[in-house]
Amino acid sequence: MKYNELGKSDIKVSEIGFGCMSLGTDHAVNKALLLKALDNGINFFDTADLYQQGQNEVTLGKAFKGLREKVYLATKVGNQWRPDGSGWYWNPSKDYILAAVESSLQRLQTDYIDLYQLHGGTIDDPIEETIEAFELLKQQGKIKQYGISSIRPNVIREYSSRSAISSVMLQYSLLDRRPEETVVPLLAQNQVGILARGSLAQGLLAGKAPKAYLEHSAQNVQHAAETIHALVADKYNAAEVAIRFALQQPGITSAILGIRTENQLKDALAAAHAAPLSEEQLMALRASIPAHTYALHR
């Protein structure tokens, strides 16, 4: 397993991160899968207080009790549940973040969070106030680093210039290369790590039947899948090609993969150990489907 520094921090995360959102509700089953991932070199586990109304954080706390120093835990904040549990609303206020972190720490059974991320964000947020909250938590030792989870270039630009974020989590795959236009170069320039999610594009790059995706027609998606299939020989499977493509984009620190089953974990680990794609293969993949740009929030 390869490990990369997260931005300018001293955190070195596995290039395959375990996305915990897909985990079920059986804590014992989850623990077995999470520990197997750890045993095989994955040290970065990403969750959010939103997932399963906090139970996703609880499952990580139970799994890694007594193993805290062996893992990097990342969680997210900003979506506040309504008291009746009927849904949530956006709240990036300083007061809410300072209160929410205490609940996350309790559920995770830890006294610090390695990476605390704003779970979204708009250009109309009280950004300075949000940054103040993260900086205060860092001073207090309750978080080690902070970042944002966003696909909005204008929001990413503001946090890159006004804060000490270590990372941005965003969607990136062969079928979603929108970050390449301005976001990836900006983050590279500012030494901010990129956590790529959605690398399999809802499974469309790993064997699922083609369908329209973002601005791509089903026909274009099929062409990209066929190009991947042409690269699949004894050396790779389709998922490995798609994940390697994302990982080999300059600036990508880790691919965060949603893992729920042992087979999915096996595929994720296979991608980590697969041979890098050649420049010719990467060029063929890029040429197989057009790269779009963000239409909104520029």
Side-chain angles (χ1 to χ4, degrees):
M1 180 71 67
K2 182 182 177 185
Y3 299 88
N4 298 316
E5 290 183 356
L6 186 65
K8 291 178 281 188
S9 76
D10 59 357
I11 293 175
K12 295 194 74 170
V13 301
S14 49
E15 69 171 358
I16 298 295
F18 194 123
C20 300
M21 183 177 69
S22 301
L23 289 173
T25 57
D26 188 317
H27 294 310
V29 171
N30 293 341
K31 179 177 181 177
L33 189 63
L34 290 164
L35 292 182
K36 188 169 186 178
L38 178 61
D39 288 343
N40 281 276
I42 294 177
N43 70 355
F44 185 70
F45 299 84
D46 178 76
T47 181
D49 60 4
L50 180 67
Y51 303 157
Q52 300 164 338
Q53 299 190 23
Q55 286 302 302
N56 203 263
E57 289 181 327
V58 169
T59 212
L60 265 71
K62 289 178 177 292
F64 296 127
K65 188 174 183 179
L67 299 169
R68 182 66 183 89
E69 294 182 357
K70 296 181 179 294
V71 298
Y72 291 117
L73 298 180
T75 191
K76 309 182 194 75
V77 66
N79 295 290
Q80 183 172 6
W81 280 97
R82 296 189 181 93
D84 63 2
S86 62
W88 62 88
Y89 58 94
W90 180 237
N91 187 355
S93 70
K94 182 177 180 179
D95 287 346
Y96 176 64
I97 292 172
L98 296 180
V101 73
E102 301 297 338
S103 297
S104 287
L105 288 168
Q106 183 178 29
R107 288 189 291 261
L108 290 165
Q109 298 190 44
T110 184
D111 56 4
Y112 69 94
I113 293 165
D114 295 291
L115 179 65
Y116 204 34
Q117 302 160 98
L118 186 67
H119 202 174
T122 77
I123 200 65
D124 298 319
D125 289 345
I127 293 176
E128 285 299 329
E129 181 180 324
T130 303
I131 294 170
E132 286 176 8
F134 285 125
E135 286 291 346
L136 178 58
L137 292 174
K138 196 172 177 181
Q139 292 169 18
Q140 294 173 341
K142 293 179 181 179
I143 67 173
K144 298 296 185 183
Q145 305 292 332
Y146 64 94
I148 62 172
S149 176
S150 177
I151 60 171
R152 298 185 176 196
N154 57 359
V155 172
I156 293 170
R157 189 163 52 246
E158 289 300 309
Y159 277 92
S160 294
S161 64
R162 295 162 63 177
S163 78
I165 55 171
S166 292
S167 66
V168 173
M169 180 177 287
L170 50 76
Q171 185 168 288
Y172 180 77
S173 72
L174 179 60
L175 297 183
D176 188 359
R177 291 164 56 202
R178 294 175 298 177
E180 293 180 5
E181 182 195 13
T182 61
V183 171
V184 168
L186 173 68
L187 296 178
Q189 179 182 344
N190 288 282
Q191 294 180 272
V192 176
I194 299 175
L195 303 174
R197 60 177 178 83
S199 302
L200 298 179
Q202 298 177 357
L204 295 172
L205 298 175
K208 281 193 176 180
K211 66 175 183 178
Y213 183 80
L214 299 176
E215 296 90 352
H216 298 298
S217 67
Q219 184 177 5
N220 281 349
V221 170
Q222 182 173 356
H223 187 227
E226 288 172 350
T227 302
I228 285 179
H229 183 72
L231 299 180
V232 174
D234 295 335
K235 204 170 186 179
Y236 304 103
N237 63 36
E240 290 169 14
V241 172
I243 296 167
R244 292 304 324 166
F245 177 86
L247 285 173
Q248 289 179 233
Q249 167 66 37
I252 302 296
T253 303
S254 182
I256 311 302
L257 305 179
I259 298 172
R260 184 186 178 97
T261 67
E262 287 203 16
N263 282 338
Q264 289 171 343
L265 176 59
K266 183 179 177 181
D267 286 343
L269 293 171
H273 296 295
L277 299 171
S278 68
E279 187 56 38
E280 290 76 15
Q281 290 172 321
L282 291 170
M283 288 176 60
L285 290 168
R286 293 188 188 104
S288 71
I289 195 163
H292 293 131
T293 58
Y294 288 113
L296 302 173
H297 312 295
R298 297 181 62 85

